[in-house]
Amino acid sequence: MSIEAHSLYKKFGAYTALDGVDLNVPQGKLVAVLGPSGSGKTTLLRIIAGLEFADPGSGRVLFHGDDVTDLPAGKRRVGFVFQHYALFRHMSVFENVAFGLRVRRRRDRPSREAIAERAHRLLELVQLDGLAGRFPSQLSGGERQRVALARALAVEPKVLLLDEPFGALDARVRKDLRRWLRRFHDEIQLTTIFVTHDQEEALEIADEVVIMNKAHVEQVGTPQQVYDRPASPFVYQFLGNVNVLRAPALAGARRRGGPAEDPNTEGQIYVRPHDIEVSPHDAGGSGLSAIVRHIHAAGPHARLLLEQVQTREQVEVEISRSELADLDLGVNDLVRLRLRQSHSFDEDYAI
Amino acid sequence: MASAIATALPARPGHAPTPRANRDPAWARWLLTAVALAFLAFFLVLPIVVVFAQAFAKGGAYFLAAVREPDALAAIRLTLLTVAIVVPANVVFGVAAAWAISKFKFTGKSLLTTLIDLPFAVSPVIAGLIYVLIFGAQGWFGPWLIAHNIRVIFAVPGIVLATTFVTFPFVARELIPLMQAQGTDEEYSAVTLGASGWQTFWRVTLPNIRWGLFYGVILCNARAMGEFGAVSVVSGHIRGETNTMPLHVEILYNEYNIAGAFAVASLLALLALATLVVKSAVEWRQTGSA
Amino acid sequence: MSPTALPPRRGTYPPSFRTMSSARSSRSILPGFGLSLGFTLAYLGLIVLVPLSAAFLKTAGMGLHEFAAVVASPRVVAAYKLSFGASLAAGFVNMVFGLVVAWVLVRYPFPGRKLVDALVDLPFALPTAVAGIALTSLYSSNGWVGRWLAPLGIRVAFTWTGVFVALTFIGLPFVVRTVQPVLQELEPDIEEASSTLGANRLQTIVRILIPQLMPSLLTGFALAFARALGEYGSVVFISGNMPMRTEIVPLLIITKLEQYDYRGATAIAVVMLVSSFVLLLLINLLQKWSRRYHAI
């Protein structure tokens, strides 16, 4: 089931949460909505779920082409997993999972046995069948998360929506669980949107990433697309480290014949630390002169902090440790920098 | 100009909007609000209004005469005397109990906490009765007291004791949870910086608990001034001697001096209203500074 | 307070969450433990425990037959029935309306809400004798409320209903004040979760909200009930104090005392004390139960 949203607007008093947002999630995909807090991503998810309604007169929400804009949450067949799980603490794990089926109208309600069977099957699916009789307070964070998922799936939702699904977990559990979610999604093939502020999480498991900032969608694309070809300075800065350099300084720094050759010497150039090549200064005339100020060699890569000779700008460079060994660098050495790939967002520069 | 990660984030909106899913239909909101307000109007507003209406039913002059009459003044004096003894005693106890319970670890702490609450579970009449059993003419110490010409029951000491019993938990109850929540870190710091025990208490602990303590004192004071059942048992109802304000109200009322009874009662009602104002102010202050 | 057993060491420092690691020393460096605990125990003993034990010792000297004869006499039984019955009824009414009041105060903002919120504590602050004469004046046949009820054949003052009205008044804050904080802390997302799972508003209230509020509702009920059971001042004026009909237990105790029947008074009191202690125990258990819910 595909999900579409067209030109959604939402204001809370003076605060604008969504300012004309469009979204298109194809059937069966796992899509991440990524953005800093306050960017409107959770509001978007809640409007899709029917927990919140877009401002009157604005926008539509379509599930598989059907307009659900005015349907309340309970009638949309969405599975929603809350950031803090929102488990019913007076009910056992089993009762939590069965809840959605038990509150159905009599003619739609499965038999007691069918409900029990379905609940147990779901608990098996999320690998918690042994804990059916426990109460939420007796579970770990990761287990609660999976109960919340099983509970959402019990009502046979057409789409699955997760609000910061790993936000409340500690780092290790978080990593395990997000990989598990990816495999789980591949198994059940349910159209899924999850909201996160963690770029690593979004880039690792999503088929497609929707990046939001200040009530707008900044960019939509596969993780590789958004990382390699960011559509805006915001996306560049939000997804990983970036150097922002004044363009004139780079007039002679580009590799000859490189794809990013740009006659425009005004404005700013965005370049990722690992897209900068370092060579000894005496190697040739082209490139940018810089002085090594600091070397961090701990970790998988070496990070160099350099100061440009011409402009005194700070530049961060990431190179492999073997490269560092080959260069045999020390603090205050003079080197030459070349940009393998860079980007400019000046108005007349089209992507 | 250095490498940058995510820039400054926009601030979250200050208010949480009520989501639609949790919002009840307008008719339900109106109906429930109306039911709640009607219930409170009937049970809270009417009684307090009727007190003042009756107090001034015969005019201001009658009101003044009723509260200035010698027996009324004697009752007011006795009530103030009782409060002046009971409240400080219970404050000292409350602070000591809260200090022991919140700053140290010992066996039976939860039993002790329950026992401190015990007087709340005891009928005020029984609170009076137990002192009669001990100090009354037929009580444990009755013969000895009579022999030495000491009066406890049907005299001021009995009134003070019974009032102490019924107001016993107020201060401790306010302080124990407050001091437990505050922990011991600050006291530890003070002691490691060289402060003595008393210095630590006066300069570190007391400033931290002063609002809770003040609130406890206010509640203790209100109950002490208004206590009726326990005092009724031990007082003996001697006009001008062992009548506290509530007992004086009862006597006037039973003598069908309705306006006089309500005049004295209105003073106690004012005390209650003042207590509510102080309580709200303290709560407002606490949530404001938290 | 903590339900876990404490090790039998004196004067040690309680491990709070923040200082778990620094709680290694077995002796507290804070002074005053002996003094404060000693004073607490002495004061508690002299003011509360010794006098209360006097009531039990007095009845212990009575013998079972005499005790049974007192507490099973028709007038005493009638008073117990009235006190327990009217207290239960008042507690129940307060449970229902207290929930509504707490709900409205927490969920529906309206002008003057702070004032109403402050007013809820009035029965705690108003001396009981004042409440008693005020209620009697309102509900007597020529009172502000009574005069409208009299033509309908409803008499409140000097009847069972009067006792019930007074006990409702004094128990009113308990349920509101126990439910209110729980309702405030209830996260909105459990209600949203319920609605995304297809439950309608009524199902959400009945299956999700009420069960989560139940421990605090029952605690409030028990507190109101316990208070009503021992209440004297607000009831004696409105009840009319007719033996067998509107005579509450605390009044009967006073009556016996005035007749110098100390043994009778004490026997009746002991039954009340035991009931109160059982209630106190129940309330403590209820609070432990509600803490389990809030362990998340």
Side-chain angles (χ1 to χ4, degrees):
Chain A
M1 175 126 335
S2 66
I3 303 169
E4 281 172 70
H6 297 303
S7 60
L8 297 175
Y9 289 83
K10 180 75 182 174
K11 278 187 178 218
F12 297 117
Y15 169 79
T16 306
L18 296 179
D19 193 13
V21 168
D22 294 283
L23 185 74
N24 195 341
V25 180
Q27 155 78 35
K29 293 282 191 220
L30 177 59
V31 171
V33 177
L34 174 65
S37 64
S39 59
K41 55 191 193 308
T42 294
T43 306
L44 174 63
L45 195 74
R46 289 169 61 86
I47 289 178
I48 292 170
L51 290 171
E52 208 98 59
F53 289 81
D55 287 340
S58 89
R60 322 294 312 161
V61 178
L62 309 175
F63 284 179
H64 204 64
D66 297 332
D67 193 330
V68 297
T69 314
D70 298 319
L71 279 185
K75 297 233 158 73
R76 291 195 187 187
R77 306 277 304 272
V78 293
F80 198 101
V81 176
F82 291 81
Q83 185 176 0
H84 301 286
Y85 325 124
L87 295 180
F88 307 136
R89 45 191 123 182
H90 61 290
M91 294 183 188
S92 67
V93 166
F94 173 83
E95 289 168 320
N96 263 284
V97 176
F99 180 83
L101 300 171
R102 286 181 174 169
V103 295
R104 283 193 185 168
R105 275 174 305 180
R106 184 155 310 200
R107 61 187 155 87
D108 301 330
R109 197 188 308 152
S111 68
R112 183 184 288 265
E113 295 75 29
I115 290 176
E117 204 238 282
R118 183 162 173 76
H120 281 296
R121 204 152 42 76
L122 279 164
L123 285 174
E124 240 168 69
L125 193 66
V126 298
Q127 301 161 9
L128 286 177
D129 203 29
L131 306 182
R134 298 259 187 107
F135 282 87
S137 57
Q138 298 166 305
L139 301 180
S140 72
E143 287 164 347
R144 285 178 201 169
Q145 177 64 272
R146 283 180 282 153
V147 173
L149 193 59
R151 185 179 69 177
L153 292 170
V155 294
E156 299 173 294
K158 294 184 278 190
V159 300
L160 188 59
L161 307 173
L162 305 104
D163 184 9
E164 296 274 4
F166 315 112
L169 300 170
D170 52 38
R172 257 202 66 80
V173 183
R174 208 178 168 120
K175 273 200 165 151
D176 290 348
L177 207 59
R178 75 183 184 221
R179 285 177 195 148
W180 177 84
L181 179 69
R182 178 69 237 189
R183 289 199 304 277
F184 184 78
H185 178 264
D186 293 341
E187 247 172 77
I188 61 170
Q189 296 286 331
L190 195 61
T191 311
T192 302
I193 303 178
F194 76 98
V195 154
T196 180
H197 64 270
D198 181 341
Q199 37 111 357
E200 196 186 317
E201 199 167 284
L203 297 181
E204 186 178 319
I205 66 169
D207 293 320
E208 215 167 74
V209 181
V210 176
I211 298 164
M212 288 191 70
N213 182 36
K214 294 182 180 160
H216 290 280
V217 172
E218 293 269 343
Q219 187 175 9
V220 182
T222 64
Q224 204 187 340
Q225 277 167 353
V226 295
Y227 187 80
D228 289 344
R229 278 182 279 124
S232 67
F234 170 79
V235 178
Y236 231 126
Q237 304 204 345
F238 194 61
L239 299 180
N241 286 356
V242 68
N243 291 293
V244 185
L245 302 175
R246 263 182 286 165
L250 300 167
R254 301 192 181 266
R255 272 161 63 147
R256 272 152 296 178
E261 191 76 52
D262 179 17
N264 186 357
T265 53
E266 294 298 316
Q268 295 178 322
I269 295 288
Y270 289 75
V271 57
R272 296 220 185 270
H274 55 74
D275 284 333
I276 298 176
E277 203 178 280
V278 181
S279 55
H281 192 259
D282 50 315
S286 73
L288 202 64
S289 301
I291 300 166
V292 177
R293 288 300 183 204
H294 199 90
I295 303 172
H296 299 277
H301 301 284
R303 286 197 300 127
L304 306 181
L305 212 61
L306 305 115
E307 187 185 307
Q308 253 193 75
V309 174
Q310 236 183 318
T311 60
R312 317 210 57 137
E313 284 177 313
Q314 293 269 316
V315 184
E316 192 182 322
V317 176
E318 208 173 278
I319 57 176
S320 74
R321 299 183 62 158
S322 63
E323 266 180 88
L324 179 69
D326 291 346
L327 282 167
D328 190 27
L329 285 180
V331 170
N332 292 335
D333 284 359
L334 193 65
V335 295
R336 216 170 259 293
L337 306 177
R338 288 188 192 79
L339 315 186
R340 283 189 211 101
Q341 195 175 21
S342 68
H343 213 95
S344 165
F345 294 101
D346 291 321
E347 290 116 55
D348 56 340
Y349 187 94
I351 306 164
Chain B
M1 281 304 187
S3 62
I5 317 177
T7 44
L9 309 173
R12 258 225 168 297
H15 61 100
T18 316
R20 266 250 216 129
N22 286 358
R23 202 179 284 169
D24 302 311
W27 65 265
R29 277 184 286 155
W30 281 105
L31 181 72
L32 287 176
T33 309
V35 167
L37 292 182
F39 178 73
L40 295 179
F42 236 78
F43 277 96
L44 298 182
V45 180
L46 273 185
I48 197 82
V49 170
V50 84
V51 170
F52 291 102
Q54 295 275 24
F56 291 98
K58 290 193 179 172
Y62 192 92
F63 172 87
L64 280 178
V67 300
R68 275 186 188 158
E69 174 234 345
D71 286 351
L73 288 177
I76 293 171
R77 266 198 303 276
L78 178 57
T79 295
L80 292 178
L81 172 69
T82 309
V83 164
I85 299 169
V86 168
V87 173
N90 279 340
V91 165
V92 172
F93 160 73
V95 170
W99 180 264
I101 285 173
S102 65
K103 306 289 176 194
F104 302 92
K105 186 175 184 180
F106 55 92
T107 321
K109 189 193 276 191
S110 91
L111 176 68
L112 179 59
T113 317
T114 309
L115 287 179
I116 289 174
D117 275 349
L118 206 55
F120 277 160
V122 174
S123 171
V125 168
I126 295 175
L129 165 75
I130 55 180
Y131 288 104
V132 173
L133 293 182
I134 294 178
F135 299 110
Q138 304 178 20
W140 290 352
F141 301 123
W144 186 86
L145 290 169
I146 292 169
H148 291 79
N149 205 17
I150 302 170
R151 299 206 65 171
V152 175
I153 298 306
F154 305 146
V156 176
I159 294 172
V160 169
L161 279 173
T163 308
T164 307
F165 183 96
V166 293
T167 58
F168 182 87
F170 280 104
V171 178
R173 244 179 110 84
E174 283 306 313
L175 291 185
I176 291 170
L178 182 67
M179 283 167 72
Q180 271 175 335
Q182 284 174 351
T184 44
D185 290 358
E186 289 184 39
E187 282 79 7
Y188 261 54
S189 307
V191 170
T192 54
L193 291 170
S196 72
W198 286 114
Q199 282 173 324
T200 304
F201 175 76
W202 284 107
R203 293 170 180 244
V204 177
T205 310
L206 199 60
N208 276 335
I209 61 170
R210 63 178 190 275
W211 289 106
L213 182 62
F214 179 55
Y215 184 29
V217 166
I218 291 295
L219 290 180
C220 184
N221 174 66
R223 181 70 194 266
M225 286 182 89
E227 179 50 35
F228 179 68
V231 173
S232 182
V233 173
V234 294
S235 115
H237 304 268
I238 306 160
R239 273 188 108 124
E241 273 181 49
T242 61
N243 268 349
T244 60
M245 287 169 78
L247 295 177
H248 189 62
V249 168
E250 182 196 23
I251 287 184
L252 293 175
Y253 190 84
N254 286 343
E255 288 170 349
Y256 299 102
N257 182 355
I258 304 295
F262 275 103
V264 179
S266 70
L267 297 181
L268 290 168
L270 270 182
L271 166 80
L273 292 177
T275 304
L276 294 187
V277 170
V278 170
K279 172 187 187 286
S280 302
V282 170
E283 273 172 2
W284 177 79
R285 230 198 130 83
Q286 275 172 341
T287 50
S289 63
Chain C
M1 293 295 279
S2 152
T4 54
L6 298 166
R9 272 180 302 164
R10 299 205 129 203
T12 53
Y13 172 65
S16 72
F17 286 108
R18 278 176 293 161
T19 50
M20 201 68 94
S21 59
S22 66
R24 272 169 290 117
S25 69
S26 62
R27 265 182 56 89
S28 173
I29 63 163
L30 286 183
F33 176 69
L35 179 67
S36 61
L37 187 67
F39 180 74
T40 300
L41 293 177
Y43 194 76
L44 176 74
L46 284 177
I47 298 288
V48 178
L49 299 181
V50 172
L52 274 180
S53 65
F56 289 94
L57 290 174
K58 183 95 181 166
T59 42
M62 274 177 79
L64 206 59
H65 278 290
E66 195 190 342
F67 181 80
V70 172
V71 300
S73 75
R75 188 170 165 189
V76 175
V77 169
Y80 281 135
K81 274 188 186 159
L82 172 68
S83 274
F84 278 88
S87 297
L88 271 177
F92 187 75
V93 164
N94 273 325
M95 188 157 78
V96 174
F97 284 93
L99 175 61
V100 173
V101 170
W103 179 266
V104 168
L105 285 177
V106 173
R107 291 291 175 101
Y108 307 149
F110 60 90
R113 182 176 65 167
K114 284 215 163 115
L115 183 74
V116 174
D117 194 19
L119 203 61
V120 166
D121 283 328
L122 183 71
F124 284 159
L126 193 69
T128 54
V130 178
I133 62 171
L135 290 172
T136 313
S137 154
L138 281 176
Y139 288 94
S140 64
S141 54
N142 56 0
W144 293 358
V145 179
R147 81 171 68 141
W148 300 102
L149 296 175
L152 305 172
I154 303 172
R155 286 191 55 219
V156 177
F158 317 126
T159 66
W160 185 92
T161 318
V163 176
F164 161 77
V165 165
L167 295 181
T168 305
F169 171 83
I170 54 113
L172 193 150
F174 288 99
V175 175
V176 181
R177 291 298 182 233
T178 50
V179 171
Q180 210 175 5
V182 180
L183 203 52
Q184 233 145 19
E185 275 169 33
L186 219 54
E187 277 144 36
D189 58 3
I190 60 161
E191 288 163 68
E192 291 177 1
S194 171
S195 71
T196 61
L197 293 169
N200 62 36
R201 192 71 186 135
L202 191 66
Q203 283 172 320
T204 302
I205 290 171
V206 172
R207 289 174 177 246
I208 305 296
L209 289 178
I210 302 279
Q212 299 225 0
L213 295 175
M214 199 41 95
S216 57
L217 271 173
L218 289 177
T219 304
F221 170 80
L223 287 169
F225 177 70
R227 172 73 203 265
L229 215 48
E231 180 56 22
Y232 173 71
S234 60
V235 183
V236 280
F237 297 97
I238 202 172
S239 70
N241 307 331
M242 283 165 284
M244 304 298 295
R245 292 188 44 211
T246 60
E247 189 176 50
I248 54 167
V249 178
L251 179 75
L252 192 55
I253 292 173
I254 287 195
T255 310
K256 296 258 177 202
L257 271 180
E258 281 169 355
Q259 295 161 353
Y260 300 102
D261 180 5
Y262 286 22
R263 291 156 87 92
T266 311
I268 300 167
V270 160
V271 173
M272 294 293 276
L273 277 176
V274 170
S275 317
S276 303
F277 295 162
V278 169
L279 271 171
L280 193 66
L281 192 71
L282 204 69
I283 291 164
N284 276 346
L285 290 176
L286 276 170
Q287 268 160 355
K288 266 181 198 161
W289 180 38
S290 64
R291 267 203 290 276
R292 192 194 68 181
Y293 274 180
H294 296 281
I296 291 187

